[in-house]
């Protein structure tokens, strides 16, 4: 086959981030009501596709292996202080985002910090997934 990788991907290639959550309704409320994501599609009470910041986010509840991933179990993070995956959202006004999201119920690890070339702050979703808000300085 002489098809290039770009051709095999197609013009509509999109990256979807998958977060395994312990309670879908609680996570939906956080991502939609607090952070402002838009619901695109729901699947049987176990998964939810969101449009957020020009990307796709798939929230799924944990589950056992399946035919297409026979040795892989999905589980929400057991310890929110140990991070193996994080989302960074590049924003125009980190302090403004911080104030708005705090008013909506988001709990931040610390207020925004100015590192000179970047201002950033971090929050977690209900399962402990780390979310960074970053403003170029």
């Amino acid at each position: 086959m002489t098809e290039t990788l770009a051709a095999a991907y197609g013009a509509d290639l999109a990256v979807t981030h998958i977060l395994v959550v312990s309670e879908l309704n609680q996570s939906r409320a956080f991502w939609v009501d607090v952070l402002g994501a838009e619901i695109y599609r729901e699947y049987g009470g176990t998964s939810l596709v969101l449009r957020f910041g020009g990307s796709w986010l798939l929230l799924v509840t944990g589950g056992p292996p399946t035919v297409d991933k026979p040795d892989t179990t999905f589980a929400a993070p057991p310890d929110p202080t140990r991070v193996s995956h994080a989302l960074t959202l590049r924003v125009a006004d980190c302090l403004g985002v911080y104030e708005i999201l705090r008013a909506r119920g988001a709990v931040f690890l610390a207020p925004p910090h100015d590192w000179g070339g970047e201002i950033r702050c971090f929050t977690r979703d209900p399962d402990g997934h780390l979310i960074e808000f970053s403003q170029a300085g």
Side-chain angles (χ1 to χ4, degrees):
M1 179 183 277
T2 60
E3 183 175 42
T4 67
L5 184 57
Y9 279 155
D12 294 329
L13 173 67
V15 175
T16 299
H17 301 276
I18 298 174
L19 296 180
V20 182
V21 302
S22 58
E23 210 292 307
L24 192 61
N25 289 330
Q26 182 180 12
S27 293
R28 175 193 297 111
F30 177 81
W31 283 95
V32 173
D33 300 337
V34 177
L35 296 186
E38 177 186 339
I39 295 173
Y40 176 73
R41 185 175 294 152
E42 296 186 56
Y43 298 97
T46 61
S47 63
L48 174 68
V49 180
L50 302 171
R51 282 190 276 228
F52 187 63
S55 294
W56 297 101
L57 182 63
L58 174 60
L59 305 179
V60 299
T61 54
T66 59
V67 173
D68 56 344
K69 51 178 180 51
D71 63 352
T72 303
T73 299
F74 274 29
D79 179 357
T81 65
R82 298 182 59 90
V83 176
S84 65
H85 172 66
L87 298 174
T88 299
L89 307 175
R90 184 67 70 175
V91 298
D93 179 5
C94 191
L95 183 58
V97 167
Y98 171 81
E99 294 296 343
I100 291 167
L101 296 184
R102 275 189 27 170
R104 292 181 174 189
V107 177
F108 284 81
L109 282 62
H113 183 82
D114 189 338
W115 291 93
E118 173 185 41
I119 300 169
R120 68 182 190 202
C121 59
F122 295 84
T123 189
R124 297 184 195 281
D125 78 355
D127 286 290
H129 295 107
L130 192 64
I131 304 162
E132 172 187 354
F133 295 93
S134 172
Q135 173 186 339

